[in-house]
Amino acid sequence: MSDPREPAEPLEPREPLEPREPVEPLESVNATEPANLNTAEPAAPAVALTVPESARRLADGEWHRLHPATPFLRGGIAFVAIIGVIIVNARDVFLDTIFGGGSRELRFLERFAESSLIILAILAVLVILILSVGGFYLSWRMHTFRITDELVEVRSGILFRTNRRGRLDRIQGINISRPFLARLFGAAKLEVNVAGQDANVELAYLGSAGADDLRVAILQLASGTRAAEAAADAAAQAPTGVTGVVESRVNEFLAPELDPQAAPPESIVRISIPRLIGSLVLSEATIIAILVGIGIITTIIVTGDYGWIFALLPGFLGLGGYLASRLTRSLRYSIAATDDGIRVGYGLLSTTNETLPPGRIHAVEVSQPLLWRAAGWWEIKINTASQATSSSGATAKTTLLPVGDMADVHRVLQLILPSLADAKSRELLECGLAAGAHDDDYVTSPKRAAWLRWFSWRRNGFVLISDAVALRKGAIWRSLVLVPQARMQSVSMNEGPLLRRMGLAELRIHTVAGPISATIGALDRNDVVRFFDEVEHAAVHAAGVDTSHRWRSSGANTDSPAPTPREDNA
Amino acid sequence: MTERLDLPGAEWRGVSRKYTIVEAVGLLITGIVLTVATSIPTVLTGIQWLAVIPVSLGIIFIINIALTPRRVRAIGYMLREDDLVFRRGLMFRRVVAVPYGRMQLVDINRGPLDRAVGLSELKFVTAAASAGVVIPGLPEQDAEELRDTLVALAESRRAGL
C-alpha cells in the first residue's frame, strides 16, 4: 500500500522541501525510503484536524447564511454596469445644472425637472431601488445552507423555493472558485459536486477563508472520520513536540493566503510559462488556423480581391480568444496531494481550486498530440462522475495536467493512482507511453490487424497493471487509458461482420461519462474473451474491497486504493 | 465464416419466442412507413431512378424481418455469481458483463406490442455513460422476478460509484 502523498519517486532525488511545507506522516511501509527527504516530524494531520472554529461552526448541522455581498456578486457585472451608468448620467446632469450651459437636451431635462413629473420619476426610482434592495436582502435571508454528518443542503428562492441535498459519501469533488470580482471582495464560491449531470450543491458566496475551512470540514465529515475520532486523533497528535507547534505557527505566518492546512501543499508539477505557451502554439488548433490563413492569403494573392481578409478576421479573433482563455486558465497551475485527495488549482485572475477525494477518478488518459512529441510533452485527462455543462468549467475539470513532461506524468499518475507506484507498474506505464513496442507485457493486436490499424497495430494493446486496466492506443496520436478496476461500471466485447471475418474483436470498458472512452479495437478475439473474463473478475473483486466512498473510515482496507493516512501513526 | 463471439462454456438463458412477433411487427411498421415516405418523391415527380431508395429500403427491411427469429434466439442473459452477463446481435455481436453491485436502478418497460403478447423489457442501469443492459422479451412474471433477484443481489454486493 502506498500513500498518495509520499515522495513521488524514491529514485529521483527530489529537491529539498521548503521549510513551510507541512510534512506528511510517513507510514511504516515507507520507512525503507530515504527518510532524510523529510526534515521534520509529522505535523500535517495535527494541523489538518484542527479545523478552525469558524468552519466547525458552519458545519455544525444548523442552518447558516451566505456572505452578505452574495446578491451583489451574483448580479455581478450587470449590477456594476447599471450603477456606473446611473452615476455617470447623474454627474453630467449635476455638473450641467451647476455650470449652466449645456445642450438643448439638457435644457429639456431642466424643464423636465421643473415640472411635477420629476417627483413621480424620483418616486419610481426610489420604489425600484427599495424593491431591489429588499429583494436582494430577502433572497439573501432565504438562502441558507447546512452541513450535517450525512449531507449538505441548500435552500433558496423567495417565490419558488428550491431545496437541494447532496449526500456526503457521494461527494465527487469540492471546488472553490473565486471569480475576479468576488476575489476583490474576499468572497469565494464553494461547490460540492456529487455524482450526476450538473449535480452540484453550490454555496455562493462565502468568505474566502471560510470557504477553505469549510472544505476541510466537509471533507472530514465525508471521509468517515467521526468527530470523536478526530478529537482523539488531535489529542494524540498534540504532543508532537515544540517543533510541530512552532512549525505550524511559522507555516501560518508564511502562508501567502489563508489556507486551512496552514500552508498549501507544494505542487508536484510546475508548468513554466514558455512551456505553456509552447504547448498552446503547438496544438492542432493553431496549425489548422495557420493553414487556413495561408490558404486565404494565397487566394488574395491569386485573385487580388482583398475582401477575403474579412474572412480571415473572425477566425483569428476566435483563435486568439481561445488561446488566451486557455492560457489564463492554465496559469498558476498547481497539483498537490492533501489528506483528503488531490487538489488542483488553476487561474490567474479568476481562480479555481478543486479537491478530488481518493477514488473519485473513473478513468485517466495520458495522451500526446502529434506536435508535442518532439518536446516530449503529455496531457492528462480524467473522467469524474460529476459533470458540469458550463463550457469553461468542464474543460478545466477534465484536464488534470494541461502539459507536462514524462517525469511530471509519472508524478501525477502516482498521485491519482497510488497503487501504480511500484517498479513493475512503472515499467508497464513507461512501455505504455513509449513508441511501438512488441515484446513487452502488453497483449497487442495480431499482424492481421494491420489492415485496420495501419501504424498502430504494434502499439494497440492492453494489460492489467496492479489494480487498473491499461489500454494503449495510437501510433500517431499516442494515448494510454487507465481505468481503476474499482471504478469500472461494466465491460463489453463487440464485433461486427468485418472484425468477425478477421477473427478480431473490440473490448470496451464502460465508465462514467467523460472525455475518455475506454475502448480498444482490432484485437485477437481469444485474447479479448480471456481478458474480458479477467477484467470482470478483477472488477468485481476490486469493487468488493473498495471503501473509498468513506475514505478514512475504519473499514478502510489496506489494499484499497484509498489510503488511510493515519492508521499507522495512532 | 468463423463462429460468433461468445463466452466459452456459457449457459445462456434465452428470451421468450413471442418476442419475435413484437420485433417483426415493429420492423414491419417502421419499414412500411419509411418505404411509403421515401416513395413520395418518385410518385410526385415521376423520376424513375428515385424509386431505388424505397425499393432498397423495402428489401433491407424484408431481410431484417426474415432474420428476426434468429436474432431473437441470439439474445441471451446469464446470472453468474457476481455479475449479469448479456449478449445480443447476429451481425454486430455484443457481450456485456455488469457486476451486480454497479446497479443504480432497474426499469421494467412495456410497450403496446409487448403488452399485447404479455412481455416486458428489463433495463439494468449503471452509472456508466452508455445506456446499460436492456433485456427485451421477458414474460411479465419472469421480468418481475428477475428484477427482484437483481435488486437483492445488488443490495448484498453494494459498491460505491
Side-chain angles (χ1 to χ4, degrees):
Chain A
M1 144 164 188
S2 55
D3 189 319
R5 291 166 297 102
E6 77 192 20
E9 173 52 42
L11 299 173
E12 249 171 64
R14 199 171 155 204
E15 52 190 327
L17 306 171
E18 287 175 37
R20 64 175 167 83
E21 178 175 11
V23 178
E24 304 87 1
L26 286 179
E27 287 166 38
S28 52
V29 192
N30 301 335
T32 50
E33 292 175 10
N36 57 358
L37 287 179
N38 296 289
T39 48
E41 287 301 305
V47 175
L49 277 165
T50 46
V51 179
E53 200 50 45
S54 61
R56 201 166 282 162
R57 191 180 57 77
L58 285 176
D60 59 359
E62 299 297 315
W63 292 97
H64 294 283
R65 294 216 172 79
L66 295 161
H67 195 279
T70 300
F72 171 66
L73 291 169
R74 289 193 146 202
I77 304 292
F79 200 71
V80 174
I82 291 168
I83 290 178
V85 166
I86 290 174
I87 290 174
V88 167
N89 280 337
R91 189 203 58 186
D92 282 356
V93 172
F94 181 69
L95 288 179
D96 285 335
T97 18
I98 288 179
F99 298 110
S103 60
R104 197 177 301 152
E105 217 177 307
L106 282 168
R107 257 176 251 131
F108 162 75
L109 270 176
E110 276 162 24
R111 256 184 284 136
F112 175 76
E114 282 155 14
S115 73
S116 60
L117 274 175
I118 187 80
I119 299 159
L120 269 179
I122 288 175
L123 268 181
V125 167
L126 268 182
V127 167
I128 290 171
L129 260 177
I130 288 169
L131 273 183
S132 57
V133 167
F136 282 142
Y137 175 71
L138 258 185
S139 86
W140 174 74
R141 286 265 320 175
M142 305 292 270
H143 199 138
T144 51
F145 69 94
R146 68 168 176 173
I147 291 145
T148 69
D149 283 359
E150 293 295 322
L151 46 87
V152 44
E153 186 172 2
V154 176
R155 294 187 303 196
S156 65
I158 303 171
L159 291 179
F160 299 92
R161 301 282 288 156
T162 45
N163 188 328
R164 191 165 233 196
R165 283 181 185 198
R167 263 175 58 188
L168 285 186
D169 62 346
R170 289 285 158 140
I171 285 185
Q172 301 298 314
I174 296 191
N175 192 0
I176 294 184
S177 57
R178 298 180 173 87
F180 186 56
L181 191 66
R183 247 178 110 190
L184 293 180
F185 284 85
K189 179 158 76 178
L190 185 121
E191 257 177 283
V192 180
N193 297 318
V194 288
Q197 191 79 37
D198 265 341
N200 51 357
V201 182
E202 195 180 276
L203 302 180
Y205 287 85
L206 296 165
S208 197
D212 283 332
D213 298 343
L214 194 59
R215 164 162 69 188
V216 176
I218 292 177
L219 283 169
Q220 229 170 62
L221 289 171
S223 68
T225 320
R226 292 271 158 268
E229 278 175 50
D233 266 345
Q237 292 292 338
T240 42
V242 186
T243 46
V245 175
V246 167
E247 192 174 55
S248 80
R249 289 299 131 239
V250 170
N251 287 346
E252 268 177 34
F253 184 71
L254 288 178
E257 53 182 308
L258 284 167
D259 193 288
Q261 311 233 351
E266 199 75 4
S267 172
I268 57 160
V269 173
R270 274 178 217 288
I271 306 178
S272 64
I273 291 179
R275 174 180 292 181
L276 192 59
I277 292 171
S279 74
L280 290 175
V281 169
L282 289 179
S283 68
E284 265 92 15
T286 335
I287 301 304
I288 291 170
I290 288 172
L291 287 181
V292 170
I294 291 173
I296 288 179
I297 288 168
T298 346
T299 330
I300 292 170
I301 292 168
V302 170
T303 61
D305 180 1
Y306 285 91
W308 285 97
I309 283 220
F310 294 105
L312 210 59
L313 208 61
F316 270 93
L317 284 180
L319 180 77
Y322 166 76
L323 291 181
S325 75
R326 273 200 63 169
L327 185 69
T328 48
R329 232 192 354 254
S330 307
L331 279 171
R332 294 213 314 167
Y333 164 87
S334 74
I335 178 167
T338 67
D339 269 4
D340 293 300
I342 303 147
R343 182 173 302 173
V344 189
Y346 278 102
L348 184 63
L349 296 178
S350 303
T351 63
T352 57
N353 198 327
E354 174 146 51
T355 305
L356 294 162
R360 262 59 176 179
I361 292 172
H362 288 246
V364 184
E365 182 177 29
V366 187
S367 63
Q368 183 173 59
L370 180 61
L371 296 166
W372 286 11
R373 186 170 309 168
W377 293 335
W378 299 84
E379 184 184 32
I380 297 182
K381 288 194 167 150
I382 53 167
N383 276 3
T384 55
S386 72
Q387 294 108 38
T389 41
S390 65
S391 53
S392 62
T395 41
K397 276 183 192 168
T398 54
T399 308
L400 197 66
L401 176 68
V403 58
D405 58 22
M406 194 62 109
D408 295 338
V409 166
H410 279 295
R411 278 199 288 270
V412 173
L413 282 182
Q414 236 160 39
L415 202 63
I416 56 187
L417 302 168
S419 58
L420 305 188
D422 56 302
K424 173 83 181 142
S425 308
R426 195 185 160 93
E427 190 195 318
L428 282 172
L429 284 177
E430 261 159 18
C431 289
L433 297 175
H438 328 257
D439 39 353
D440 47 32
D441 289 347
Y442 284 78
V443 181
T444 50
S445 300
K447 180 103 196 341
R448 60 179 186 278
W451 285 102
L452 295 172
R453 297 281 184 278
W454 295 358
F455 305 108
S456 68
W457 65 273
R458 283 191 200 86
R459 244 182 79 78
N460 200 48
F462 56 76
V463 76
L464 279 180
I465 305 182
S466 178
D467 65 355
V469 180
L471 309 177
R472 180 174 72 176
K473 295 187 286 190
I476 297 175
W477 285 273
R478 286 187 201 160
S479 81
L480 178 72
V481 176
L482 297 163
V483 184
Q485 281 156 13
R487 301 273 84 79
M488 274 179 220
Q489 298 298 320
S490 51
V491 195
S492 78
M493 45 184 183
N494 311 306
E495 65 169 16
L498 182 65
L499 287 181
R500 179 158 69 240
R501 216 165 271 269
M502 299 177 71
L504 301 173
E506 181 189 76
L507 186 87
R508 179 172 296 183
I509 294 165
H510 300 138
T511 69
V512 296
I516 306 162
S517 81
T519 309
I520 189 157
L523 288 162
D524 187 88
R525 60 187 300 166
N526 294 326
D527 289 343
V528 168
V529 171
R530 207 157 29 80
F531 196 57
F532 176 80
D533 253 352
E534 210 176 312
V535 166
E536 179 62 12
H537 283 133
V540 168
H541 173 75
V545 299
D546 179 50
T547 54
S548 52
H549 59 289
R550 287 282 193 197
W551 61 94
R552 270 197 227 155
S553 62
S554 50
N557 238 313
T558 39
D559 58 349
S560 82
T564 49
R566 278 183 321 282
E567 69 182 8
D568 295 317
N569 289 355
Chain B
M1 191 178 281
T2 49
E3 63 182 80
R4 295 191 172 79
L5 189 68
D6 210 340
L7 284 175
E11 288 170 16
W12 296 102
R13 280 156 74 175
V15 300
S16 165
R17 292 280 176 273
K18 277 191 261 175
Y19 183 62
T20 318
I21 306 170
V22 178
E23 195 65 356
V25 172
L27 277 173
L28 195 66
I29 294 171
T30 356
I32 289 173
V33 168
L34 276 180
T35 317
V36 169
T38 48
S39 55
I40 291 173
T42 330
V43 177
L44 286 184
T45 60
I47 301 170
Q48 293 295 310
W49 58 265
L50 274 179
V52 173
I53 303 169
V55 169
S56 48
L57 263 178
I59 292 170
I60 290 171
F61 271 99
I62 287 167
I63 294 174
N64 227 334
I65 291 167
L67 280 174
T68 308
R70 287 186 62 198
R71 215 174 36 240
V72 170
R73 272 202 302 277
I75 299 174
Y77 66 94
M78 184 164 52
L79 297 175
R80 297 199 297 193
E81 195 187 336
D82 292 308
D83 54 0
L84 168 73
V85 192
F86 174 75
R87 97 180 163 181
R88 78 177 302 167
L90 279 177
M91 280 265 269
F92 296 90
R93 169 59 62 92
R94 176 167 174 251
V95 184
V96 196
V98 197
Y100 297 126
R102 292 298 180 209
M103 185 190 87
Q104 298 295 324
L105 59 96
V106 182
D107 262 351
I108 291 188
N109 295 321
R110 236 167 265 159
L113 282 173
D114 284 327
R115 263 210 303 270
V117 288
L119 292 181
S120 302
E121 179 188 272
L122 185 136
K123 196 168 168 187
F124 187 98
V125 181
T126 66
S130 50
V133 173
V134 183
I135 310 176
L138 293 169
E140 275 171 39
Q141 193 67 36
D142 287 12
E144 271 159 33
E145 272 169 28
L146 184 59
R147 175 191 59 195
D148 296 343
T149 320
L150 287 174
V151 170
L153 283 168
E155 203 52 51
S156 68
R157 290 167 176 75
R158 178 143 297 289
L161 266 184

